[in-house]
Amino acid sequence: MRHLYVHVPFCQRRCSYCDFSIAVRKRIPAREYVEAVLGELAAVRAAHPGREPEDYGGESLETIYLGGGTPSLLPPEAISALLTSLFDAFRATSSRDALEVTLEANPEDVTLDHATAWRHAGINRVSLGAQSFDDRVLKWMHRSHDASRIGDAVQTLRAVGMDNISLDLIFALPSELERNWARDLDLAADLLPAHLSLYGLTVEERTPLARWISSGATSAADDERYAEEYLLAHMRLADCGYHFYEVSNAARDGRRSRHNSAYWSGRAYLGLGPAAHSFDGRVRRWNRSAWESYRRAVGAGLLAVEVEETLTEEQRELESLYLALRTDAGVPLAALCGPLPPCAAMWVERGWAEVRDQRLACRPEGWLRLDALIRDLTSVGRAG
Ligand code: SF4
């Protein structure tokens, strides 16, 4: 296990589109949370008594990712206590400078004091939930920051020596918002973040957005606009020196997310915290998602796993095909069992994919059709 994900479930309010498993709290139960996560790690170890810390990373631990929820709501002392314990537990203290340690943060939580404390705690990468530079849009999303806080947060992080910054943006918003996507892309690029993650808005059940849509108060963007905005992002960001290395992620100067890249290359990872997932290369596990239920389980010395799934050989192959095609590396032609299948040759002809270095890789137009492409490829496999 060289990659550790820690899920922090707390948010101060629910965003209008969000169906994540979160715990909305005015007061963040930081001490209880840190105890619970460390309790879970102890339970995981107790369940595998023959394993040494090295089996869970040790000197070879490469990334830690504090995701949420809103991890930046944890007081800096709690983040520091959590990371110190994790570095110790994984015997990663001496190698800590070589780790990528990411914190997801809301722009409004980035104060000089917090940023300084995060840096001292070992955080060296921050992913900011920017979403838009339009205050009307941020309000509609129920986000707690306003647009001016995004630039301030970037400057503050740089002032304390943290330059590995990623911004999240959401596109394909309802048309009546008249959101200017090109302007948002330009404002994001002007800040020169090392990394950008772009997500198309999806309508999830039981969210305020789903209710607004079913009452007719708003409507989701159609496929045509989704595609237009996605392709516009590729064009504009390429002009600013960004390279899309995955369907939703672009980096400048090669500063890819090492943590997320591990997921996309099918590597093993350990997830701690409510709703966290773990994968050991063969078995995938999901933790209980509700904070209270998770806390009770680990408080009783139990594992917090709710579901466990052992992937079959066929599932593993399908997943690795899917993950490979999500990235710019694509899939080796050898893995397609021979020459380019006719469906893939057609994508190349249409400009949806290309063959590079004996690998088949999607172009942006192909990433828009990824599910259909995978279906074509796998039905060829089944037929063959
Ligand atoms: S901050 Fe993130 S996790 Fe929290 S409600 Fe908003 S979208 Fe969901």
Side-chain angles (χ1 to χ4, degrees):
M1 296 287 180
R2 295 176 176 208
H3 306 281
L4 176 64
Y5 174 79
V6 184
H7 189 77
V8 185
F10 310 109
C11 289
Q12 271 177 336
R13 61 171 100 167
R14 187 175 282 279
C15 298
S16 57
Y17 51 85
C18 178
D19 76 335
F20 293 170
S21 173
I22 59 165
V24 176
R25 293 287 185 280
K26 284 263 174 285
R27 188 195 75 82
I28 308 301
R31 189 180 48 78
E32 296 90 325
Y33 171 77
V34 173
E35 272 175 22
V37 169
L38 298 178
E40 183 192 357
L41 180 59
V44 170
R45 288 206 162 140
H48 303 283
R51 292 194 188 168
E52 293 301 315
E54 284 75 5
D55 295 321
Y56 296 99
E59 290 298 312
S60 55
L61 187 68
E62 291 177 19
T63 65
I64 300 178
Y65 193 104
L66 305 185
T70 314
S72 56
L73 286 178
L74 284 177
E77 318 76 74
I79 292 175
S80 175
L82 179 62
L83 285 177
T84 302
S85 299
L86 292 174
F87 292 144
D88 284 351
F90 286 80
R91 294 187 190 159
T93 314
S94 60
S95 60
R96 124 182 179 174
D97 287 346
L99 299 183
E100 177 190 273
V101 186
T102 303
L103 177 80
E104 284 184 355
N106 250 346
E108 68 171 10
D109 296 331
V110 186
T111 62
L112 190 58
D113 286 352
H114 283 185
T116 306
W118 296 341
R119 185 85 185 102
H120 287 145
I123 303 288
N124 53 25
R125 183 172 184 273
V126 174
S127 172
L128 287 173
Q131 318 309 358
S132 172
F133 288 81
D134 181 333
D135 283 336
R136 275 176 328 109
V137 168
L138 291 169
K139 200 163 168 212
W140 177 87
M141 290 177 171
H142 294 172
R143 300 294 303 194
S144 52
H145 62 281
D146 58 34
S148 66
R149 293 305 300 259
I150 303 166
D152 293 350
V154 170
Q155 303 312 334
T156 303
L157 291 167
R158 290 203 173 118
V160 302
M162 279 200 269
D163 194 39
N164 199 355
I165 299 167
S166 179
L167 298 184
D168 283 0
L169 293 176
I170 299 183
F171 66 97
L173 301 180
S175 55
E176 69 270 16
L177 284 171
E178 296 181 350
R179 187 267 194 95
N180 187 336
W181 176 229
R183 176 181 176 270
D184 271 359
L185 287 168
D186 290 347
L187 289 173
D190 284 350
L191 293 173
L192 295 176
H195 190 277
L196 284 157
S197 298
L198 311 182
Y199 301 105
L201 184 72
T202 53
V203 182
E204 307 295 345
E205 284 177 30
R206 291 188 293 278
T207 57
L209 175 60
R211 286 195 294 279
W212 298 341
I213 287 178
S214 64
S215 71
T218 190
S219 53
D222 57 24
D223 290 350
E224 204 173 313
R225 198 151 57 74
Y226 185 104
E228 263 171 31
E229 294 195 0
Y230 183 73
L231 296 175
L232 180 72
H234 275 264
M235 231 166 53
R236 260 182 141 90
L237 294 178
D239 287 347
C240 302
Y242 290 89
H243 169 70
F244 273 80
Y245 65 101
E246 195 265 351
V247 61
S248 304
N249 289 278
R252 209 163 47 82
D253 305 327
R255 296 170 91 182
R256 303 173 175 215
S257 160
R258 285 163 57 195
H259 186 83
N260 288 336
S261 296
Y263 294 156
W264 301 319
S265 53
R267 296 177 71 179
Y269 53 88
L270 175 64
L272 298 174
H277 291 196
S278 300
F279 181 57
D280 66 6
R282 200 177 56 87
V283 181
R284 181 170 291 120
R285 301 180 174 86
W286 288 259
N287 276 354
R288 293 162 189 243
S289 55
W291 156 241
E292 290 298 345
S293 163
Y294 166 85
R295 189 170 72 99
R296 274 196 301 276
V298 296
L302 303 172
L303 288 173
V305 175
E306 187 167 62
V307 183
E308 184 171 296
E309 171 191 43
T310 303
L311 300 187
T312 62
E313 186 75 18
E314 193 183 345
Q315 284 171 321
R316 289 217 299 271
E317 274 171 21
L318 180 62
E319 188 162 298
S320 85
L321 179 67
Y322 179 73
L323 291 174
L325 282 173
R326 284 182 68 114
T327 69
D328 62 344
V331 64
L333 292 182
L336 301 176
C337 307
L340 203 58
C343 62
M346 186 194 74
W347 311 341
V348 173
E349 207 178 292
R350 293 186 176 177
W352 299 347
E354 60 193 349
V355 175
R356 268 188 270 119
D357 305 328
Q358 293 299 306
R359 302 179 77 94
L360 175 71
C362 283
R363 304 193 72 243
E365 296 78 1
W367 274 330
L368 279 168
R369 301 168 169 84
L370 189 56
D371 289 344
L373 299 188
I374 302 275
R375 261 199 313 276
D376 284 356
L377 262 188
T378 48
S379 58
V380 166
R382 275 196 292 274

